[in-house]
């Protein structure tokens, strides 16, 4: 059986893995959505790690979004390009496999 993206998002071993899982299976987001939906308060630094360390490609879309007081705020919406989906799947498998191996060693 396969595990659903929602279950994997909840059990992702790191912030980087959670962020990549979201991008791969749920779509784009900006900093306010990332913080609200799964606790990444700085996708502006997480996304470059995914790009530079794992060879993934993201679209960076400038937009205005309401801040905590409802005023418009400049921010960036990030979206994983479809051309990076296969690489993202490989990276996610690696991230989850590392956790399983660590758990076996600790047991």
């Amino acid at each position: 059986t396969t595990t659903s993206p929602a279950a994997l998002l909840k059990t992702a071993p790191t912030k980087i893995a959670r962020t990549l899982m979201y991008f791969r299976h749920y779509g784009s987001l900006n900093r306010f959505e990332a913080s609200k939906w799964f606790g990444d308060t700085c996708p502006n630094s997480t996304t470059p790690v995914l790009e530079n360390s794992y060879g993934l490609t993201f679209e960076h879309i400038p937009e205005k979004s309401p801040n905590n007081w409802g005023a418009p705020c400049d921010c960036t919406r990030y979206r994983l390009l479809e051309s990076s989906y296969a690489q993202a799947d490989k990276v996610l498998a690696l991230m989850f496999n590392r956790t399983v191996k660590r758990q076996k060693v600790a047991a």
Side-chain angles (χ1 to χ4, degrees):
T1 66
T2 59
T3 306
S4 73
L8 289 172
L9 185 62
K10 289 180 182 179
T11 61
T14 64
K15 176 183 85 162
I16 297 280
R18 267 190 311 280
T19 302
L20 182 53
M21 179 62 66
Y22 185 90
F23 281 129
R24 173 60 181 90
H25 294 283
Y26 296 99
S28 68
L29 51 77
N30 65 34
R31 66 178 300 163
F32 301 110
E33 296 162 345
S35 177
K36 177 181 171 183
W37 293 335
F38 59 91
D40 185 352
T41 59
C42 50
N44 57 312
S45 62
T46 307
T47 303
V49 169
L50 291 167
E51 291 172 321
N52 298 325
S53 298
Y54 298 102
L56 300 169
T57 305
F58 287 81
E59 185 175 14
H60 299 241
I61 308 158
E63 69 178 16
K64 295 234 185 250
S65 181
N67 63 18
N68 290 335
W69 298 273
C73 173
D74 290 326
C75 65
T76 302
R77 175 166 295 278
Y78 302 96
R79 184 178 69 84
L80 179 67
L81 296 182
E82 193 173 334
S83 60
S84 287
Y85 282 7
Q87 177 67 9
D89 291 341
K90 290 176 189 175
V91 170
L92 285 165
L94 177 68
M95 290 175 173
F96 278 88
N97 284 337
R98 284 182 185 162
T99 300
V100 169
K101 287 179 184 177
R102 279 190 216 128
Q103 290 171 346
K104 287 181 182 178
V105 169

